[in-house]
Amino acid sequence: MSGCKNVCIVGSGNWGSAIAKIIGKNVAKSSQFDPIVKMWVYEEILNDRKLTDIINTDHENIKYLPGHKLPENVRAVPDITEAANGADLFVFVLPHQFIGPLCDKMKSHVKANAIGISLIKGVDEGPDGLKFISHIIHEKLGIEMSVLMGANIANEVADEKFCESTIGSKNKTHGELFKNLMQTPNFRITVVEESDTVELCGALKNIVAVGAGFCDGLDYGDNTKAAVIRLGLMEMLAFAKLFCKGAVTSATFLESCGVADLVTTCYGGRNRKVAEAFVRRGKSIEELEKDMLNGQKLQGPQTSAEVYRLLKQKNMLDKFPLFVAVYQICYEKRPVTDFITCLQNHPEHV
């Protein structure tokens, strides 16, 4: 791909707005990219004003990233077909349950030689088993996809606190192009080829974070949480080897997308926070999502349900007791105190 690249960000929540802040600043000082970045925004009315008007006038997403100014060259667009029109690079960053219908709307407006990168942390299930979100986008839009995952809590990224991230890309040129688009002195990116492993890490760590939140709600302390992180990491690695078609190496789990993202999500992040409240307040996951997340979506419980169904199909539930316990506690009324049993009797200890 040559010439000046047009960038479209698909999504404008907490993480989408944080990455828009980085991309807007980067393209403004680069000859590689067009200086105007279009950002698709799901239209909402706040204080009798359209959210797109607030972003384009006040340069702040007051609902999802309050207190942070977005660059003036980031333009909020409520119509996905208008946002997609003419874009060379797509950055997908929205809850994974919305991606299918949105791609269907975009399809006839996407250039044949466009490429994309998914920052979406989740998986889906298809008739043949596991479906990666980047694969769904590729199938629906016909564009080559990369992924970016890492220990990247959105507010800390927006505050420009130092962190790392991982791009998984089978095409090294595309990986480096997206690295140029998003890397800053405080947002350091490594590019690796195992894109499916990178993407799966981003989805599975949210299940483990729910388990860590259960531990916090039960006041089990840091030793127990460390065990949850380690056993969760082992299940992530085993699951990747089972479901990824390409090579899966433990080295990728040592990148930011793996152990770093797992640790930060188990100590911060919305999945841990809501899971702790689930124990302490006795409300359902759905109720807590509405109460605590200001319109954002929780990925961990939903991912656990998708993973549970896949493991059940393969008759492998007994090999992944931590993943299974998170699902059953969230959705099948299994007592949360049973969570410690899944740790005590884990196959790693037998």
Side-chain angles (χ1 to χ4, degrees):
M1 295 178 74
S2 57
C4 204
K5 311 286 187 300
N6 288 293
V7 180
C8 171
I9 301 170
V10 183
S12 59
N14 187 233
W15 185 210
S17 298
I19 210 69
K21 187 176 175 184
I22 286 176
I23 290 173
K25 287 182 178 179
N26 277 359
V27 300
K29 56 191 180 190
S30 168
S31 59
Q32 199 171 10
F33 308 103
D34 188 275
I36 300 300
V37 176
K38 288 190 282 187
M39 178 172 73
W40 175 72
V41 174
Y42 177 77
E43 192 67 280
E44 300 178 64
I45 304 298
L46 298 169
N47 307 325
D48 298 323
R49 295 175 69 195
K50 291 178 179 178
L51 182 56
T52 51
D53 290 344
I54 295 169
I55 293 171
N56 289 332
T57 306
D58 303 342
H59 308 292
E60 182 182 353
N61 188 335
I62 61 168
K63 179 165 186 182
Y64 296 109
L65 196 68
H68 290 277
K69 286 292 180 185
L70 297 177
E72 294 188 12
N73 59 326
V74 174
R75 305 280 167 82
V77 180
D79 182 346
I80 187 58
T81 59
E82 183 189 336
N85 221 12
D88 300 295
L89 306 180
F90 286 95
V91 179
F92 294 91
V93 53
L94 69 164
H96 76 275
Q97 52 267 47
F98 302 136
I99 197 66
L102 206 62
C103 284
D104 291 338
K105 288 181 185 172
M106 292 168 62
K107 188 168 186 175
S108 59
H109 298 267
V110 173
K111 290 163 76 167
N113 65 340
I115 61 173
I117 190 165
S118 172
L119 280 60
I120 301 167
K121 293 180 175 178
V123 289
D124 211 338
E125 52 184 321
D128 303 319
L130 187 73
K131 291 281 282 186
F132 291 87
I133 304 304
S134 65
H135 295 190
I136 293 171
I137 299 169
H138 170 69
E139 286 166 14
K140 286 187 172 287
L141 301 182
I143 63 175
E144 278 198 45
M145 289 293 298
S146 303
V147 297
L148 179 141
M149 305 284 152
N152 307 143
I153 292 173
N155 287 54
E156 294 182 16
V157 173
D159 284 335
E160 298 180 18
K161 294 174 178 173
F162 181 85
C163 68
E164 301 174 315
S165 203
T166 310
I167 286 177
S169 184
K170 295 181 177 78
N171 183 315
K172 194 169 183 185
T173 304
H174 293 174
E176 292 297 329
L177 182 60
F178 282 116
K179 179 176 178 175
N180 291 346
L181 179 67
M182 290 185 275
Q183 181 165 264
T184 73
N186 284 324
F187 190 70
R188 307 307 293 180
I189 296 171
T190 303
V191 181
V192 301
E193 285 185 19
E194 278 181 41
S195 58
D196 285 354
T197 307
V198 171
E199 185 166 4
L200 199 53
C201 282
L204 296 179
K205 57 93 190 181
N206 284 328
I207 304 177
V208 185
V210 173
F214 292 159
C215 284
D216 289 340
L218 294 163
D219 295 315
Y220 280 153
D222 285 337
N223 292 342
T224 308
K225 194 192 279 194
V228 169
I229 292 171
R230 190 189 76 81
L231 294 169
L233 185 63
M234 299 305 288
E235 289 194 16
M236 286 168 62
L237 183 56
F239 191 92
K241 286 181 174 175
L242 196 61
F243 285 97
C244 288
K245 289 187 172 73
V248 174
T249 62
S250 53
T252 301
F253 284 80
L254 297 176
E255 296 290 348
S256 182
C257 63
V259 68
D261 196 9
L262 179 61
V263 169
T264 196
T265 311
C266 286
Y267 279 90
R270 66 187 82 152
N271 289 282
R272 187 220 62 79
K273 184 168 86 171
V274 172
E276 180 182 2
F278 177 84
V279 180
R280 297 195 189 280
R281 291 165 57 181
K283 288 187 172 184
S284 72
I285 291 292
E286 291 79 8
E287 288 172 309
L288 291 166
E289 189 178 64
K290 285 177 188 162
D291 288 353
M292 300 174 67
L293 295 185
N294 190 32
Q296 295 177 84
K297 292 296 176 186
L298 202 63
Q299 301 294 351
Q302 185 171 337
T303 304
S304 79
E306 286 147 1
V307 163
Y308 179 85
R309 286 190 285 269
L310 290 165
L311 292 172
K312 194 172 182 181
Q313 279 172 18
K314 287 192 174 281
N315 200 26
M316 297 195 75
L317 292 174
D318 59 325
K319 306 284 189 203
F320 296 86
L322 193 151
F323 288 175
V324 169
V326 167
Y327 164 74
Q328 291 175 334
I329 291 165
C330 287
Y331 295 112
E332 293 190 345
K333 294 187 163 48
R334 182 176 176 180
V336 71
T337 47
D338 270 10
F339 190 65
I340 197 72
T341 311
C342 94
L343 304 179
Q344 291 166 338
N345 300 326
H346 199 280
E348 280 279 302
H349 298 144
V350 175

